[in-house]
């Protein structure tokens, strides 16, 4: 077969069309995919599997500390790569192979930055002891007594920041660290957790004694303090105890306790048996 100049040009154009079509086909291929807290490297690996493609990139250009949590529905592979990376990229494709070229030069990728600022409460007072950490990375800090914080030597990229302290609401946000330093101040709101109701029960000494294993009857004499009565009148209010006296104040008093009388019933005054005091201190003379 003899090829003329016109045929060669036509074949060359077909080759260019095929190449453009292949490139269009892989980058514009639309898929459904979901990422749940995965690193950029893990997300790209999953994209290659579900998108049936092969992605090459420079490992040193990968965003450090970035976690991807997002769902894509009927979205092109090109758009998914841009969103996963978190930056504008130059994408090249050949067949089902995609090459990622970051807009950052190699010297810029290696740069690091600092993250500084101050944390206060709603009244503007500094908060010491507040914890800041970039999730999934070793980078973190605790605020000083003036509420200030400093994180140094952080690789340039996007991070998931968490700010927390006891008694305050937690803050979670995405932070992009540039080359140089980034200053950001935070204000924490006090957490309002409603406590459950607490009920405290108490017992008097008389109630505690009456609940013991042995049979004890106790009297709370507070209600008798303002009454002009003797001890024998108070004892009469006890169940199972009968007080008999032959006359008025100072007369002979007999006590019957559940059928027991005489020496079988002992009466103590300040821990001393009442008979030790003799007849000068009968029960009905004790106020």
């Amino acid at each position: 077969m003899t090829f003329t100049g016109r045929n060669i040009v036509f074949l060359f154009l077909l080759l260019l069309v095929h190449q453009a079509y292949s490139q269009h086909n892989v980058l514009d291929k639309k898929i459904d995919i979901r990422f749940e807290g995965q690193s950029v490297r893990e997300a790209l690996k999953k994209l290659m599997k579900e998108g049936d493609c092969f992605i090459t990139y420079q490992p040193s250009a990968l965003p450090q500390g970035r976690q991807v949590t997002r769902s894509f529905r009927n979205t092109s592979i090109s758009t998914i790569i841009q969103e996963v990376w978190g930056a504008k990229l130059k994408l090249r494709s050949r067949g089902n192979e995609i090459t990622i070229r970051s807009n950052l030069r190699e010297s810029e990728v290696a740069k690091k930055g600092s993250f500084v600022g101050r944390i206060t409460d709603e009244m503007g007072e500094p908060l010491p002891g507040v914890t800041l950490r970039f999730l999934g990375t070793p980078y973190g800090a605790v605020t000083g007594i003036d509420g200030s914080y400093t994180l140094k030597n952080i690789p340039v990229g996007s991070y998931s920041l968490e700010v927390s302290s006891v008694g305050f609401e937690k803050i979670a946000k995405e932070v992009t660290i540039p080359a140089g330093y980034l200053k950001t101040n935070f204000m924490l709101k006090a957490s309002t957790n409603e406590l459950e109701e607490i009920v405290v029960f108490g017992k008097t000494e008389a109630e505690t004694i009456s609940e013991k294993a042995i049979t004890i009857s106790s009297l709370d004499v507070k209600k008798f303090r303002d009454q002009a009565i003797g001890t024998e009148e108070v004892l009469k209010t006890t169940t199972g105890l009968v007080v008999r006296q032959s006359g008025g104040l100072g007369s002979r008093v007999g006590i019957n306790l559940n059928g027991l009388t005489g020496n079988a019933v002992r009466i103590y005054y300040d821990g001393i048996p009442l008979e030790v005091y003799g007849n000068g201190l009968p029960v009905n003379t004790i106020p």
Side-chain angles (χ1 to χ4, degrees):
M1 178 181 290
T2 304
F3 290 95
T4 65
R6 180 177 298 178
N7 290 336
I8 294 175
V9 171
F10 179 73
L11 290 174
F12 180 73
L13 290 176
L14 283 179
L15 180 62
L16 290 178
V17 170
H18 175 73
Q19 183 178 0
Y21 177 78
S22 299
Q23 178 173 341
H24 171 81
N25 188 37
V26 67
L27 289 177
D28 291 349
K29 181 180 180 181
K30 295 183 178 181
I31 64 171
D32 297 341
I33 192 170
R34 175 174 176 78
F35 304 107
E36 297 181 354
Q38 295 167 299
S39 66
V40 176
R41 186 189 301 273
E42 294 170 341
L44 292 177
K45 186 177 180 181
K46 183 176 181 179
L47 179 59
M48 284 189 283
K49 180 179 180 181
E50 299 191 16
D52 190 23
C53 60
F54 186 75
I55 303 174
T56 59
Y57 53 86
Q58 192 172 19
S60 60
L62 272 175
Q64 300 298 318
R66 179 175 174 80
Q67 291 183 322
V68 184
T69 302
R70 186 169 175 183
S71 296
F72 296 92
R73 185 173 181 82
N74 195 28
T75 307
S76 67
I77 291 179
S78 174
T79 301
I80 295 174
I81 293 176
Q82 302 279 358
E83 295 295 331
V84 167
W85 198 277
K88 189 67 175 178
L89 301 172
K90 294 180 180 179
L91 303 178
R92 297 288 184 271
S93 66
R94 183 176 182 180
N96 69 336
E97 181 178 341
I98 300 173
T99 302
I100 297 177
R101 295 182 180 179
S102 173
N103 286 334
L104 295 177
R105 296 190 301 272
E106 183 66 27
S107 59
E108 292 177 329
V109 171
K111 286 185 177 180
K112 296 183 179 181
S114 298
F115 186 50
V116 300
R118 189 167 179 263
I119 300 179
T120 61
D121 60 15
E122 296 175 278
M123 303 300 293
E125 296 295 325
L127 290 177
V130 179
T131 302
L132 299 93
R133 62 191 185 104
F134 290 126
L135 301 180
T137 74
Y139 305 111
V142 178
T143 58
I145 193 171
D146 60 347
S148 63
Y149 66 89
T150 301
L151 289 86
K152 297 181 178 180
N153 297 322
I154 305 173
V156 171
S158 297
Y159 300 86
S160 296
L161 174 68
E162 181 181 271
V163 183
S164 61
S165 181
V166 177
F168 293 88
E169 296 180 1
K170 186 181 299 183
I171 294 178
K173 63 177 299 182
E174 292 292 322
V175 175
T176 300
I177 302 299
Y181 80 98
L182 173 66
K183 183 176 182 180
T184 306
N185 296 328
F186 296 96
M187 186 270 291
L188 296 185
K189 296 181 179 180
S191 58
T192 55
N193 295 327
E194 185 176 353
L195 300 178
E196 296 181 358
E197 181 181 0
I198 299 177
V199 181
V200 179
F201 296 94
K203 296 181 180 179
T204 63
E205 184 178 359
E207 290 175 335
T208 302
I209 294 175
S210 64
E211 292 176 357
K212 290 186 176 180
I214 60 176
T215 303
I216 296 177
S217 295
S218 59
L219 294 175
D220 189 354
V221 297
K222 292 180 181 179
K223 59 184 178 180
F224 300 110
R225 288 180 178 176
D226 297 330
Q227 302 181 34
I229 59 176
T231 303
E232 78 283 358
E233 295 295 331
V234 177
L235 293 177
K236 289 179 181 181
T237 63
T238 305
T239 303
L241 190 146
V242 179
V243 179
R244 296 187 179 90
Q245 58 181 346
S246 56
L249 181 65
S251 61
R252 182 178 177 79
V253 177
I255 297 179
N256 186 310
L257 178 61
N258 292 329
L260 301 176
T261 61
N263 292 332
V265 180
R266 306 298 297 274
I267 301 176
Y268 294 84
Y269 182 67
D270 289 340
I272 300 174
L274 200 60
E275 58 265 24
V276 173
Y277 295 99
N279 294 329
L281 189 62
V283 174
N284 57 357
T285 61
I286 301 175

